[in-house]
């Protein structure tokens, strides 16, 4: 696992965007796994800027988002489909045939989840998966105690997750209770994973993911099994890491290893 501790949250977002852009420059037809959440918004802002200035072309990529709320159709403003349209797909010119999310309004959400997992395989698998982390250690909507062998499926959200996401919904509107999320095993099949975490609210979950036991109690710890996982952190999110000096020696300021 590569642990990159960047000087601040802005440079962590930039580092994430840089790694994604380098990947797409090498593989213009890459299959990208995308994530929503407040942490990712600065990353998408950077990508939109690069698209506008002509230094990034995402028009040939295929994308699969991690998750979607059950019960929200794609035209609901808080659906992850609508959120991704606003944050990236419109600017990138990626149509719905290649910008994929589970359909939260599917009549049979379980069948939709199975079909989504199959669609990822049919596309050749995910080359690069972006991930956030919940303060409870979730990745996607794989809440604590999710099976480390789980596939894309329906998952009930914890109270903590619903409360954290309530800020995106109008007052009086209930945050959804269920999601369709890629499973942990689905995520681990991506050829590389990039997890971005900023802010001290994430510090305990980040430490558990990187240095804690491999455990369904912290779903992000499953990344310890991945041969190519990179954790990109700001100093606040890195606060509780015991081996912080080591990570900073290997990757000064979150940069490449000085070999
Ligand atoms: P956040 O969400 O970026 O809004 O904190 C991250 C996550 O829950 O994966």
């Amino acid at each position: 696992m590569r642990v990159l501790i960047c000087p601040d949250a802005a440079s962590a977002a930039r580092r994430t965007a840089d790694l994604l852009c380098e990947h797409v420059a090498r593989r213009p037809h890459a299959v990208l796994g995308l994530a929503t959440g407040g942490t990712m918004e600065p990353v998408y802002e950077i990508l939109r800027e690069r698209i506008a200035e002509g230094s990034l072309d995402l028009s040939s990529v295929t994308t699969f988002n991690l998750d979607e709320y059950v019960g929200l159709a794609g035209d609901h403003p808080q659906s992850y489909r609508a959120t991704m349209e606003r944050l990236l797909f419109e600017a990138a010119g990626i149509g719905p045939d290649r910008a994929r999310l589970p359909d939260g309004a599917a009549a049979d959400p379980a069948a939709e989840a199975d079909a989504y997992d199959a669609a990822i395989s049919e596309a050749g698998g995910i080359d690069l998966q972006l991930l956030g982390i919940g303060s409870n250690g979730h990745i996607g909507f794989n809440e604590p105690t999710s099976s480390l062998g789980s596939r894309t499926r329906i998952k009930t959200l914890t109270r903590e997750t619903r409360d954290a996401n309530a800020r995106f919904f109008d007052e009086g509107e209930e945050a959804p209770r269920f999601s369709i999320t890629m499973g942990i095993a689905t995520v681990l099949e991506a050829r590389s994973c990039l997890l971005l975490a900023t802010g001290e609210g994430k510090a305990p979950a980040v430490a558990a993911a990187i240095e804690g036991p491999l455990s369904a109690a912290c779903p992000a710890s499953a990344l310890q099994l991945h041969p190519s996982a990179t954790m990109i952190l700001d100093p606040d999110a890195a606060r509780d890491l015991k081996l912080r000096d080591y990570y900073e020696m290997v990757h000064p300021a979150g940069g490449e290893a000085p070999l």
Side-chain angles (χ1 to χ4, degrees):
M1 188 180 269
R2 293 200 300 167
V3 180
L4 310 182
I5 304 174
C6 298
D8 52 34
S11 55
R14 210 164 40 247
R15 189 87 170 89
T16 307
D18 287 346
L19 289 171
L20 185 141
C21 292
E22 284 166 22
H23 189 93
V24 173
R26 286 195 307 273
R27 285 183 70 107
H29 294 275
V31 179
L32 303 177
L34 300 179
T36 47
T39 312
M40 287 298 158
E41 292 192 12
V43 176
Y44 295 133
E45 189 179 340
I46 295 166
L47 298 183
R48 291 196 306 275
E49 282 166 13
R50 292 183 186 175
I51 291 165
E53 74 192 19
S55 61
L56 173 67
D57 180 3
L58 289 179
S59 62
S60 300
V61 302
T62 298
T63 69
F64 286 90
N65 263 76
L66 281 166
D67 43 24
E68 179 60 283
Y69 292 117
V70 171
L72 296 196
D75 58 359
H76 187 290
Q78 296 316 330
S79 69
Y80 284 162
R81 157 71 64 193
T83 303
M84 288 304 303
E85 290 288 346
R86 278 195 303 276
L87 291 176
L88 188 66
F89 297 157
E90 270 171 31
I94 318 173
D97 51 326
R98 281 189 303 104
R100 310 285 299 270
L101 288 92
D103 178 3
D108 183 346
E112 171 67 12
D114 289 345
Y116 195 70
D117 214 279
I120 294 170
S121 300
E122 279 156 26
I126 289 170
D127 293 308
L128 178 68
Q129 176 69 58
L130 285 188
L131 296 163
I133 183 171
S135 53
N136 63 3
H138 73 200
I139 47 175
F141 275 133
N142 293 286
E143 302 286 31
T145 71
S146 286
S147 163
L148 301 184
S150 52
R151 312 292 319 177
T152 306
R153 70 210 182 290
I154 299 168
K155 192 72 198 163
T156 307
L157 306 183
T158 61
R159 186 75 255 171
E160 188 182 1
T161 297
R162 291 178 70 200
D163 288 349
N165 291 349
R167 68 187 194 278
F168 296 113
F169 288 83
D170 290 339
E171 218 178 302
E173 193 180 10
E174 261 220 86
R177 292 182 53 205
F178 301 100
S179 66
I180 297 176
T181 180
M182 278 188 209
I184 295 176
T186 316
V187 169
L188 291 180
E189 282 171 6
R191 284 179 268 280
S192 49
C193 290
L194 271 188
L195 183 148
L196 172 64
T198 55
E200 61 181 2
K202 301 292 172 66
V206 163
I210 297 174
E211 296 176 341
L214 173 65
S215 168
C218 177
S221 69
L223 293 170
Q224 294 172 20
L225 291 170
H226 198 286
S228 177
T230 302
M231 316 293 265
I232 304 175
L233 312 174
D234 72 347
D236 288 339
R239 184 194 65 193
D240 294 351
L241 291 170
K242 294 197 180 61
L243 292 177
R244 182 169 173 169
D245 288 354
Y246 174 66
Y247 311 132
E248 290 182 330
M249 179 187 76
V250 178
H251 296 287
E256 282 316 313
L259 286 179

